Amino acid sequence: MKEAEIGLIGLGTMGAALALNIADNGFDIAVWNRTTARTREFHAGAGELAPRIIPTESLKELVESIKQPRAIILMVPAGDAVDEQIAALRPLLGPQDLIIDAGNANFRDTNRRASEAAGPFLGIGVSGGETGARYGPSIMGGGDKEHWDRVYPVLSAISAKYEGAPCATWMGEAGAGHFVKAVHNGIEYADMQMIAEIYGIMRDGMGMTASAIGEVFDRWNNGVLQSYLIEISGKVAGTVDAATGKPLLDVIVDAAGQKGTGRWTVIEAQHLGTPVPAIDAAVTARNLSSRREERATGQALFGAGSGALAQGTLDMANLENALIAGKIMCYAQGFSMIAAASDQFGWALPLPEIAKVWREGCIIRSAMLNDMASALEDEPTRNLLFAPSFAEQVKAAQEDLRLTVIESARAGLAAPALSSSLAWFDTMRRARGTANMIQGQRDFFGLHGFARLDTGATGQHGPWAE
Ligand code: NDP
């Protein structure tokens, strides 16, 4: 009987696409799905790849179909489903057999699973949605390097390639891969939110139609902002709804879904003491977006603001530059967080390699990431904001970001991710901040002590008791 190179559990959107990708790259793969009908349907629809796929109807059959030492990918929803599958699978496996969780696990769960594992275990982050999984995702690996090396031939073959280099990189021990994937998703949230804010300014502030907005995004995609997210935003805005003949965007409900990775990123950033305000704003905006009834009540009570910008206050160049500045700031926040986690968790997270692995295959792929990889290669520990090439771009674009934030606020158009990035930037470029007042207040009510600027003495107190 033919033995597969690798196995896969979970033939949903991602698992099915990943299995076809693996088969397409010349590897035999055994698959199993909780619902057997789905396995049969998947195999029947695999076309010329079907001979490389071994459909199985029990976990035992799956395990017996894979060559030893085995490697089995789990592509099921993060959380309990992963623990259940590991518990069901492990007793059927040998001591060298490897389980790979390729879903969007919380990295703390991956840390736990790695430490509890009765055998080899990897947690890998896979980005690129269904198309990426099918034709080349970006893969962020975590766990023992020797186990990663064992499956690297398959993972590198199926991954996206940037100028021939595989976008599949080992990030570090245990949950390192899932941690990097979570920050990737957090940045994705912020990038998408900033694009949505600019869309809102064009729609409500400038009265532009969806198709006209789509043309602007298409144009921007030929410049500094060239990226998958700008590209698809242009396509989304330019699509007409077949049922109504209206722009599709105009019939889509304005409530955004989420599965948790953005929220985890924000929570971890706060634990690490390296805030990611653009991501925070993006997660908050998604949460508020789903409060549609409350927002309607708010509009009835307060009005929605004028909405319209005064003629000539903002042009497309202002908006493009605002997005460039906001994007650089958001990535600088994300990479700072990764650097802090690397120290805190004892990982040696490879910052330049992270920028490189995101250059192709993943949702946040963009032209800018190649420059970010170069800047991080020059000096991995420096804040990206201060890397000369990005500092120059921010100097050139920050006034447009400021103007965009001012004018959108004046018109009552919420631009939380752009605004919070600007506030972050203004904080990060002012040597003398305002926390001396906070320290004075803390000492006044709680005798927490403060440090003096003049003498450097710490643990000082004000004369409050007098
Ligand atoms: P789907 O909902 O499309 O598929 C889920 C799969 O898991 C199905 O095959 C389902 O089987 C199986 N499953 C669900 N619950 C269980 C369980 N308790 N035990 C065993 N099998 C179970 O999910 P996706 O493919 O979209 O996502 C899979 C993972 O990949 C998630 O962690 C997700 O966050 C992550 N991911 C998703 C991306 C995307 O763009 N969709 C991108 C990157 C990562 P059944 O047919 O029996 O229901």
Side-chain angles (χ1 to χ4, degrees), residues 18 73-75 100-105 110 121-127 138-143 148 151 155 158 169 174 177-178 181:
L18 213 54
I73 297 172
L74 299 182
M75 217 15 154
I100 306 165
D101 176 16
N104 272 338
T110 306
F121 180 78
L122 289 176
I124 67 172
V126 176
S127 176
S138 168
I139 300 176
M140 294 144 260
W148 168 261
V151 284
L155 298 179
I158 66 165
T169 302
H178 277 140
K181 173 71 199 313

Side-chain angles (χ1 to χ4, degrees), residues 3-253:
E3 285 194 325
E5 177 74 24
I6 196 162
L8 183 140
I9 291 177
L11 292 168
T13 307
M14 291 295 283
L18 213 54
L20 292 176
N21 186 357
I22 292 171
D24 213 2
N25 275 282
F27 302 101
D28 292 332
I29 178 166
V31 297
W32 178 81
N33 192 64
R34 182 179 60 174
T35 309
T36 302
R38 173 71 194 127
T39 311
R40 293 180 188 152
E41 182 196 9
F42 168 73
H43 192 236
E48 61 182 15
L49 295 175
R52 289 212 169 278
I53 297 167
I54 305 171
T56 67
E57 303 199 354
S58 71
L59 282 180
K60 186 167 175 292
E61 193 192 343
L62 173 82
V63 168
E64 287 170 354
S65 307
I66 306 165
K67 76 170 194 196
Q68 299 185 49
R70 303 175 182 91
I72 300 178
I73 297 172
L74 299 182
M75 217 15 154
V76 299
D80 293 343
V82 175
D83 287 315
E84 286 162 21
Q85 282 309 309
I86 292 173
L89 201 51
R90 190 48 83 186
L92 305 174
L93 298 178
Q96 299 306 317
D97 293 346
L98 171 62
I99 297 178
I100 306 165
D101 176 16
N104 272 338
N106 184 316
F107 84 98
R108 291 187 181 276
D109 284 338
T110 306
N111 282 346
R112 171 180 56 77
R113 289 177 187 131
S115 71
E116 288 173 353
F121 180 78
L122 289 176
I124 67 172
V126 176
S127 176
E130 183 180 18
T131 306
R134 175 64 184 87
Y135 297 105
S138 168
I139 300 176
M140 294 144 260
D144 286 356
K145 179 75 164 48
E146 60 173 301
H147 301 138
W148 168 261
D149 289 343
R150 226 172 85 190
V151 284
Y152 183 72
V154 175
L155 298 179
S156 60
I158 66 165
S159 74
K161 310 287 180 302
Y162 182 85
E163 294 179 353
C167 292
T169 302
W170 181 75
M171 298 296 167
E173 305 296 324
H178 277 140
F179 177 84
V180 172
K181 173 71 199 313
V183 179
H184 163 285
N185 284 23
I187 292 173
E188 175 185 313
Y189 273 53
D191 213 336
M192 291 167 75
Q193 173 64 24
M194 287 193 272
I195 293 171
E197 290 171 13
I198 294 289
Y199 154 71
I201 293 168
M202 288 194 257
R203 184 190 68 182
D204 300 327
M206 299 173 162
M208 289 169 63
T209 62
S211 70
I213 294 170
E215 283 167 21
V216 173
F217 287 143
D218 289 347
R219 213 168 48 243
W220 289 353
N221 200 38
N222 295 317
V224 178
L225 287 171
Q226 191 279 315
S227 62
Y228 174 70
L229 283 171
I230 287 287
E231 180 193 330
I232 65 166
S233 301
K235 288 185 176 154
V236 169
T239 299
V240 172
D241 175 38
T244 60
K246 292 180 181 169
L248 184 62
L249 255 185
D250 293 352
V251 299
I252 298 179
V253 171

Side-chain angles (χ1 to χ4, degrees), residues 184-460:
H184 163 285
N185 284 23
I187 292 173
E188 175 185 313
Y189 273 53
D191 213 336
M192 291 167 75
Q193 173 64 24
M194 287 193 272
I195 293 171
E197 290 171 13
I198 294 289
Y199 154 71
I201 293 168
M202 288 194 257
R203 184 190 68 182
D204 300 327
M206 299 173 162
M208 289 169 63
T209 62
S211 70
I213 294 170
E215 283 167 21
V216 173
F217 287 143
D218 289 347
R219 213 168 48 243
W220 289 353
N221 200 38
N222 295 317
V224 178
L225 287 171
Q226 191 279 315
S227 62
Y228 174 70
L229 283 171
I230 287 287
E231 180 193 330
I232 65 166
S233 301
K235 288 185 176 154
V236 169
T239 299
V240 172
D241 175 38
T244 60
K246 292 180 181 169
L248 184 62
L249 255 185
D250 293 352
V251 299
I252 298 179
V253 171
D254 53 330
Q258 55 182 317
K259 287 190 177 163
T261 42
R263 182 171 63 240
W264 299 340
T265 306
V266 171
I267 291 169
E268 288 305 330
Q270 292 293 352
H271 282 310
L272 288 163
T274 48
V276 285
I279 302 174
D280 195 349
V283 174
T284 303
R286 283 203 195 187
N287 289 333
L288 292 178
S289 77
S290 59
R291 300 189 173 199
R292 295 182 64 228
E293 276 185 25
E294 252 182 295
R295 289 191 284 114
T297 305
Q299 178 163 346
L301 186 60
F302 302 111
S306 74
L309 300 172
Q311 193 72 28
T313 43
L314 286 178
D315 60 23
M316 292 305 131
N318 300 135
L319 296 183
E320 184 178 14
N321 280 334
L323 211 42
I324 291 169
K327 182 167 174 149
I328 294 170
M329 291 169 192
C330 155
Y331 278 68
Q333 294 163 21
F335 276 107
S336 279
M337 175 180 173
I338 291 172
S342 195
D343 291 344
Q344 173 88 15
F345 302 133
W347 293 324
L349 293 173
L351 269 73
E353 298 307 314
I354 292 171
K356 284 184 194 166
V357 86
W358 291 346
R359 288 181 302 189
E360 264 307 334
C362 68
I363 303 295
I364 62 172
R365 61 185 182 263
S366 73
M368 221 183 251
L369 272 163
N370 196 38
D371 299 334
M372 290 181 180
S374 305
L376 290 164
E377 244 163 8
D378 284 351
E379 221 180 301
T381 54
R382 174 182 54 201
N383 190 319
L384 210 50
L385 183 67
F386 306 142
S389 58
F390 289 104
E392 282 312 310
Q393 288 187 68
V394 168
K395 277 182 194 168
Q398 62 101 4
E399 282 306 334
D400 285 321
L401 174 60
R402 192 173 305 284
L403 191 65
T404 301
V405 168
I406 290 168
E407 293 304 334
S408 54
R410 208 192 301 277
L413 301 168
L418 291 168
S419 313
S420 64
S421 276
L422 181 64
W424 174 84
F425 170 71
D426 284 337
T427 304
M428 294 301 285
R429 63 154 179 181
R430 184 167 285 274
R432 176 73 171 152
T434 57
N436 48 326
M437 171 55 95
I438 310 269
Q439 285 300 81
Q441 293 162 341
R442 291 179 73 241
D443 190 56
F444 189 102
F445 64 68
L447 283 181
H448 292 294
F450 53 79
R452 292 189 64 95
L453 266 183
D454 46 5
T455 63
T458 57
Q460 303 298 295

